[in-house]
Amino acid sequence: MHKNAKSSLHSRVLIVKKHLEEDVPVSDLADFFEVSKSLIYRWIRRYHQEGLNGLRDRK
């Protein structure tokens, strides 16, 4: 998967940081990145629980 794919680690970090640091609404991020709001909330929750490791691919 390339680094700019919708669900790459790079994109996940970018999405979570834009929400937490720049206060961009989840709905705006979901529309822009073409991913579901529930997926973004999952990434935010995992980031809070595990830090950057929470955003890595899971098997």
Side-chain angles (χ1 to χ4, degrees):
M1 183 178 300
H2 60 85
K3 76 173 193 164
N4 292 323
K6 292 178 188 175
S7 65
S8 70
L9 176 60
H10 175 79
S11 295
R12 293 174 203 166
V13 170
L14 180 64
I15 290 168
V16 169
K17 294 210 177 237
K18 283 206 168 286
H19 176 69
L20 296 177
E21 296 174 3
E22 299 175 28
D23 205 28
V24 178
V26 168
S27 58
D28 291 351
L29 292 167
D31 290 342
F32 184 81
F33 286 95
E34 299 178 334
V35 295
S36 70
K37 290 185 288 188
S38 62
L39 189 56
I40 294 175
Y41 283 119
R42 183 181 315 148
W43 294 336
I44 292 168
R45 185 185 71 246
R46 287 179 180 172
Y47 179 79
H48 282 304
Q49 293 172 343
E50 304 173 37
L52 289 176
N53 283 333
L55 299 178
R56 296 194 184 283
D57 288 337
R58 294 176 182 226
K59 292 190 176 202

